[in-house]
Amino acid sequence: MERRHFLAGGATLAAGAALGLGGPFQGVAAHAETRRRHRGYGGLRPVRDLRDGKVRLHLPEGFRYRSFNPAGSPLSDGSTTPGKHDGMAAFRGPRGSVVLVRNHEVNGPVGAFGDRSAAYDPMAGGGTCTLRVTPWGEVLDARVSLNGTQMNCSGGPMPWGSWVTCEETVNGPDVGNDFSGADNTKLTQRHGYLFEVPVHGEGERAPIRSAGRFAHESAACDPRTGAIYLTEDCFDAPSGFYRYLPPENPMRAGRLLDGGRLQMLAVRGRPNADLSQGQPRGAVHETTWVDIDDPDPTWTSRPTNAEALTHVGSQGRARGAALFSRLEGAIHDRGVVYFCSTQGGAPVTRPLPDGFGDGRGQIWAYDTRSGRLRLVVESPSADLLDLPDNITHSRRGALVLCEDGDEANYLRGLTTRGSLFDFARMEPVAEDPGAEFAGSTFSPDGRTLFVNIQSKVGMTFAIWGPWHRGPF
């Protein structure tokens, strides 16, 4: 058993009253580490990739994997697979296959991959690829499904049969250059929007402007109401938790329509509550929503990138919206939206991470029926949970957390009783020390966990094994 698995193999958080929160985590109270440990699926050991025999993952006994579709490899339509594999979702395909829609978080005016004449912005290098694969990671077909977007970080599967991809940027010719220093005047379109990509086909490359222009990270749909819950990853400033109310329920419309209303979450009776800080055990907040009057601003002068990044969120905070630290992954499960605050919580490890927020991560749960917001987990140590990013749920309700930590990166499991455990560790990528897990998603039948390694030469993995032996 690896040392970090022994340390982190199940830091259990004590059970307590749910106070009306639904979903599989309703009996868990937050931030209450005990001595009881959860083994998960057991200790991790190096496992060879069935594609080429290299060790890329450390997994529990009995689990196997195959990597596929690395950056630079050819797609079925003649295009080349871009890098920076990121958010992803799995859908049912024909004859037992699985359809994956996958983001590529490419920044800068580097030119679109695929057919540039069809791109939203022919100078932007992000977008999505759609793959049809077997449950064992054998590629049957792979094509460009959206191009000409930028910094496509995460997004979310939509229950009517599509993927909504999110641009984590506000770059455009009307905005000053971002942290990379690349020349934004080379771009031909404004960025910072949601785009819809149908499971079977290509996206129309039409932004959902009413859902806001900000550093979008993830999207999660509540099928009961059709509301789309959105996270914001604003690195150097507070982030917000939003919802987009489309003009027609997309479950009836069969697509996500522009022209709706954008709102931002606030804590009832506590204007500008700072939830990025350490939270008390079992923290529960009654919430409300405030309107964003100008979700897609047009500027008369060219603002700095930092000014543009905070313009939408500042409107919400002027009306009392809550402050979070770097909201990233989000997933809907049984009436509850779970989302990650990557650097939320009390500082527990030195040196402190860069950017807004000094903690090592929080997992929040928003009950779409009661409107209550509850802290499920706040990391007490980087050995237990280190900067959670993308998130998904298993058929049993346990969560998979992709880490974006400072050292070794793990896939962590979070059981419905509030126990953390290690499921996978990434073998260090020699040419890219910043490589991280991203885009975890289970196949519709729950037999295969697909996940990406986001790096300069990213790739996708199919992982399978004795799921019945543990919480997933």
Side-chain angles (χ1 to χ4, degrees):
M1 181 179 296
E2 295 191 353
R3 182 187 67 86
R4 277 189 59 162
H5 179 84
F6 181 78
L7 291 171
T12 302
L13 305 171
L19 299 179
L21 180 71
F25 285 80
Q26 58 185 318
V28 177
H31 202 233
E33 182 185 2
T34 73
R35 294 181 180 274
R36 187 158 58 94
R37 301 183 181 277
H38 195 288
R39 279 186 52 81
Y41 289 88
L44 308 184
R45 60 199 67 202
V47 179
R48 294 189 181 277
D49 191 336
L50 292 178
R51 176 168 68 93
D52 58 10
K54 293 184 178 180
V55 173
R56 292 187 171 95
L57 299 179
H58 295 230
L59 294 168
E61 184 176 4
F63 283 88
R64 306 173 76 190
Y65 70 94
R66 176 181 282 107
S67 67
F68 58 94
N69 196 218
S73 62
L75 299 173
S76 305
D77 61 7
S79 304
T80 300
T81 303
K84 305 292 284 187
H85 301 45
D86 209 309
M88 183 171 66
F91 303 86
R92 195 175 305 279
R95 297 180 294 279
S97 66
V98 179
V99 175
L100 299 172
V101 187
R102 184 187 63 213
N103 281 359
H104 292 272
E105 192 186 8
V106 180
N107 192 21
V110 297
F113 63 90
D115 181 1
R116 289 195 182 187
S117 67
Y120 168 70
D121 182 342
M123 290 302 298
T128 65
C129 291
T130 298
L131 298 81
R132 187 165 60 87
V133 301
T134 71
W136 302 278
E138 299 157 321
V139 178
L140 305 173
D141 189 73
R143 299 180 181 274
V144 177
S145 49
L146 177 72
N147 62 346
T149 53
Q150 195 177 71
M151 290 285 286
N152 296 76
C153 196
S154 189
M158 298 295 119
W160 60 88
S162 70
W163 165 256
V164 166
T165 181
C166 299
E167 292 186 303
E168 190 194 4
T169 184
V170 291
N171 283 340
D174 61 335
V175 172
N177 300 340
D178 69 7
F179 62 94
S180 69
D183 186 358
N184 270 353
T185 64
K186 293 181 179 180
L187 298 170
T188 68
Q189 298 285 349
R190 300 190 300 175
H191 295 271
Y193 301 110
L194 308 183
F195 291 79
E196 184 172 1
V197 181
V199 174
H200 305 289
E202 294 189 13
E204 294 182 358
R205 297 164 174 82
I208 310 298
R209 298 183 185 276
S210 297
R213 185 184 182 190
F214 57 87
H216 287 281
E217 176 80 22
S218 292
C221 177
D222 175 21
R224 181 178 61 90
T225 63
I228 310 297
Y229 292 88
L230 305 169
T231 59
E232 177 184 31
D233 184 7
C234 194
F235 188 80
D236 287 322
S239 295
F241 185 58
Y242 299 78
R243 71 178 179 186
Y244 174 62
L245 304 176
E248 183 180 355
N249 189 322
M251 299 299 292
R252 293 192 299 269
R255 58 181 298 186
L256 184 60
L257 298 176
D258 204 354
R261 185 159 48 118
L262 183 66
Q263 297 180 319
M264 200 169 174
L265 184 102
V267 174
R268 192 180 299 276
R270 290 180 56 199
N272 299 131
D274 189 350
L275 304 184
S276 72
Q277 303 295 311
Q279 297 291 299
R281 175 179 175 178
V284 177
H285 304 284
E286 301 287 344
T287 67
T288 187
W289 295 90
V290 297
D291 288 336
I292 303 296
D293 292 332
D294 186 21
D296 183 24
T298 298
W299 290 287
T300 56
S301 61
R302 191 171 183 241
T304 67
N305 207 270
E307 290 169 336
L309 276 168
T310 58
H311 181 85
V312 169
S314 294
Q315 295 176 61
R317 287 184 287 274
R319 292 184 168 181
L323 284 62
F324 293 92
S325 169
R326 300 194 57 209
L327 297 189
E328 297 205 78
I331 194 74
H332 175 276
D333 186 22
R334 286 167 270 192
V336 176
V337 177
Y338 300 95
F339 60 96
C340 296
S341 172
T342 297
Q343 291 178 206
V348 295
T349 304
R350 303 285 178 175
L352 299 178
D354 295 332
F356 185 86
D358 295 331
R360 286 287 158 174
Q362 299 165 323
I363 309 300
W364 291 93
Y366 175 78
D367 191 308
T368 62
R369 293 177 176 84
S370 70
R372 290 187 175 97
L373 176 70
R374 188 151 173 268
L375 183 69
V376 178
V377 167
E378 182 171 297
S379 175
S381 166
D383 285 327
L384 302 175
L385 182 62
D386 194 18
L387 307 183
D389 191 332
N390 286 183
I391 186 173
T392 195
H393 65 82
S394 69
R395 301 182 87 183
R396 298 183 191 176
L399 298 179
V400 181
L401 311 176
C402 296
E403 280 191 344
D404 183 12
D406 291 337
E407 297 181 359
N409 281 320
Y410 284 74
L411 288 179
R412 309 281 195 184
L414 178 61
T415 75
T416 57
R417 295 180 62 85
S419 300
L420 286 161
F421 64 93
D422 296 344
F423 175 71
R425 182 173 71 83
M426 182 195 311
E427 181 74 8
V429 180
E431 64 272 21
D432 189 0
E436 62 186 81
F437 282 115
S440 59
T441 179
F442 279 98
S443 60
D445 63 6
R447 294 168 57 192
T448 306
L449 175 64
F450 295 95
V451 68
N452 298 316
I453 283 184
Q454 186 198 98
S455 81
K456 296 173 183 176
V457 185
M459 60 189 68
T460 302
F461 294 80
I463 304 171
W464 63 92
W467 299 113
H468 63 280
R469 295 198 324 222
F472 295 148

